[in-house]
Every structure is written in structure tokens, then in C-alpha cells.
């Protein structure tokens, strides 16, 4: 995936910018010292496999940043190694910013795709419960509170069903991964979103109270 991203990024960079960067690189390495008369646009175009117009656009970028200067009737000269370094630094910074935006966009797309899969999985579970029973089933979601007493304990260890009369059918963790058909040995953690079913309107309240307060001891 990373290799495909790099190839796509390279394809998206205009040729004249690549040529400007290459000429700048040769100035920095000393291949083109200050005062050097660069070859004509046609010769450079043939060397890079592009039209003279593309070379002209590349040299215009460099001239704008005072890396090279042109003299009418003579040609284009290397003007400043210092400006060449500034040009390289500027493009490096812009490339890094673009890379960060591209990475963020990629992550957001992955998050959107993952959320879509979670919704599909939940809908699928809803359908499964709807078609597998003729009784009314309440399908709900609750989040394990921060610093909950249940944090790190297994479903079986806390007797979840015994005290709530609810069955956990899936758990969506902090990593947004939906884990279905969790068993009694599955450990719950603060921030987990529990997808559960119950057969009466008070199931959600029982689950929320259980996650928050546990079992309240009552004296007769």
C-alpha cells in the first residue's frame, strides 16, 4: 500500500517541477557551479524527454526563486547555490506537509470504511436475532464508563447475564474493532462499547447501572 502511495505521489508531481528539483539538486552537488551557463531549452528538453516549453516552466520557477538568472540572447546561468538550498528546503517542507495531509486523509478514509463495516455487522446481528426468534428482542448499546469497576474483568467473572439478564453479542473496543460472539472469558475494559440484547424495556437501565455501580448490597 505504501509503495502504491509513493508511486501515485510521484505521478501527481508535474514534470516541470521534477526538472526544476533535479536542476537544483545538480547545483547543490556542484555539477552546475555558480556562473555555469545551462544548456539550451531544446537540449535540456531532449535530455529529460520533454518539450522545450516544459523546460522553460522549470527554469522560470528557479529564476523566480533567484536560483538561476537569464540573459537575453545568451542563456540561463546558475545564479546562487544559497538560493538553491533555500529552494530545496522550501519544497521539502511543502512535500512533508502534503504527505501529512495525505496520511490523515488515508486514515480518515480507513476510519470511515471501518465504521461502515461495524454498522453492517451490527445490522447483520440485528437481522440474525430478528429471524431466529419470535419473541420481541431489545437490541441496545452501552459504553463501559471510565474507571469502571468492571475494567479488566471477564464477562463470566462478573456474572454479567445473571445480574442484567442481557446477552452481549459483540464488543467494539477502543481500536474500533468489532468482536462478535464473545464468550465468558472475554475481558471488558473502560471505553468498550457493548452490543447486547434483552427482552424487556428495563434491560438497558440494568446494564448501565451494573457497569457503573455493580451490584448494590441491600440490607433487609
Amino acid at each position: 500500500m505504501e509503495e502504491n502511495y509513493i508511486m501515485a505521489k510521484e505521478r501527481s508531481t508535474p514534470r516541470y517541477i521534477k526538472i526544476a528539483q533535479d536542476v537544483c539538486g545538480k547545483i547543490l552537488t556542484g555539477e552546475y557551479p555558480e556562473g555555469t551557463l545551462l544548456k539550451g531549452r531544446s537540449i535540456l528538453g531532449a535530455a529529460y524527454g520533454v518539450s522545450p516549453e516544459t523546460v522553460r516552466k522549470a527554469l522560470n520557477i528557479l529564476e523566480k526563486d533567484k536560483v538561476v538568472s537569464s540573459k537575453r540572447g545568451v542563456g540561463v546561468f546558475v545564479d546562487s547555490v544559497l538560493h538553491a538550498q533555500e529552494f530545496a528546503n522550501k519544497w521539502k517542507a511543502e512535500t512533508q506537509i502534503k504527505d501529512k495531509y495525505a496520511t490523515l486523509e488515508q486514515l480518515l478514509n480507513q476510519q470511515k470504511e471501518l465504521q461502515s463495516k461495524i454498522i453492517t455487522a451490527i445490522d447483520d446481528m440485528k437481522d440474525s436475532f430478528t429471524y431466529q426468534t419470535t419473541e420481541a428482542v431489545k437490541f441496545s448499546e452501552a459504553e463501559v464508563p471510565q474507571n469502571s469497576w468492571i475494567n479488566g474483568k471477564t464477562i463470566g467473572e462478573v456474572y454479567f447475564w445473571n445480574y442484567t439478564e442481557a446477552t452481549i453479542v459483540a464488543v467494539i473496543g477502543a481500536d474500533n474493532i468489532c468482536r462478535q460472539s464473545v464468550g465468558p472469558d472475554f475481558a471488558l475494559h473502560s471505553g468498550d462499547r457493548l452490543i447486547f440484547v434483552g427482552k424487556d424495556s428495563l434491560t438497558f437501565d440494568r446494564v448501565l447501572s451494573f457497569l457503573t455501580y455493580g451490584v448494590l448490597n441491600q440490607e433487609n
Side-chain angles (χ1 to χ4, degrees):
M1 180 180 295
E2 182 178 356
E3 182 179 352
N4 292 336
Y5 165 71
I6 293 174
M7 293 176 62
K9 184 179 69 173
E10 290 180 348
R11 286 195 297 268
S12 65
T13 304
R15 291 295 300 276
Y16 68 91
I17 291 179
K18 292 181 181 179
I19 293 172
Q21 292 171 334
D22 186 67
V23 171
C24 180
K26 290 179 178 178
I27 293 173
L28 292 176
T29 59
E31 185 173 344
Y32 294 158
E34 288 186 6
T36 298
L37 174 63
L38 298 178
K39 300 175 182 177
R41 293 202 298 259
S42 297
I43 297 176
L44 286 174
Y48 285 109
V50 297
S51 67
E53 175 61 19
T54 300
V55 174
R56 184 189 68 78
K57 292 172 68 175
L59 295 178
N60 281 349
I61 292 177
L62 295 175
E63 186 169 10
K64 182 179 179 181
D65 280 16
K66 300 180 180 181
V67 178
V68 301
S69 59
S70 60
K71 295 182 180 180
R72 184 179 296 274
V74 180
V76 177
F77 293 83
V78 176
D79 195 38
S80 171
V81 174
L82 177 61
H83 289 156
Q85 184 63 63
E86 292 174 351
F87 176 87
N89 291 340
K90 181 184 73 172
W91 278 100
K92 182 179 179 181
E94 290 186 6
T95 299
Q96 289 175 340
I97 293 174
K98 289 179 180 178
D99 287 347
K100 289 178 180 179
Y101 273 115
T103 299
L104 178 60
E105 183 178 11
Q106 186 179 35
L107 290 173
L108 289 174
N109 288 334
Q110 290 175 355
Q111 183 185 44
K112 185 184 298 183
E113 183 180 355
L114 179 60
Q115 189 64 29
S116 176
K117 290 181 179 179
I118 290 174
I119 293 174
T120 300
I122 291 175
D123 289 341
D124 182 59
M125 284 187 289
K126 287 181 180 179
D127 291 340
S128 297
F129 276 93
T130 299
Y131 295 123
Q132 288 177 11
T133 179
T134 57
E135 300 180 49
V137 175
K138 178 65 176 177
F139 197 95
S140 305
E141 176 181 328
E143 181 173 324
V144 179
Q146 294 298 320
N147 302 318
S148 172
W149 70 277
I150 209 172
N151 182 51
K153 293 181 171 61
T154 66
I155 295 173
E157 183 181 359
V158 300
Y159 297 97
F160 186 89
W161 184 88
N162 303 68
Y163 290 112
T164 65
E165 297 183 14
T167 301
I168 299 175
V169 295
V171 176
I172 303 174
D175 54 7
N176 278 333
I177 295 178
C178 182
R179 296 170 175 84
Q180 304 179 40
S181 303
V182 293
D185 295 329
F186 186 87
L188 301 175
H189 298 88
S190 296
D192 284 350
R193 290 151 56 195
L194 311 184
I195 311 300
F196 57 91
V197 292
K199 295 184 179 180
D200 63 58
S201 59
L202 298 177
T203 300
F204 178 81
D205 292 334
R206 286 197 300 269
V207 169
L208 189 60
S209 176
F210 183 69
L211 294 176
T212 304
Y213 305 110
V215 180
L216 297 178
N217 294 324
Q218 297 180 351
E219 295 182 0
N220 295 327

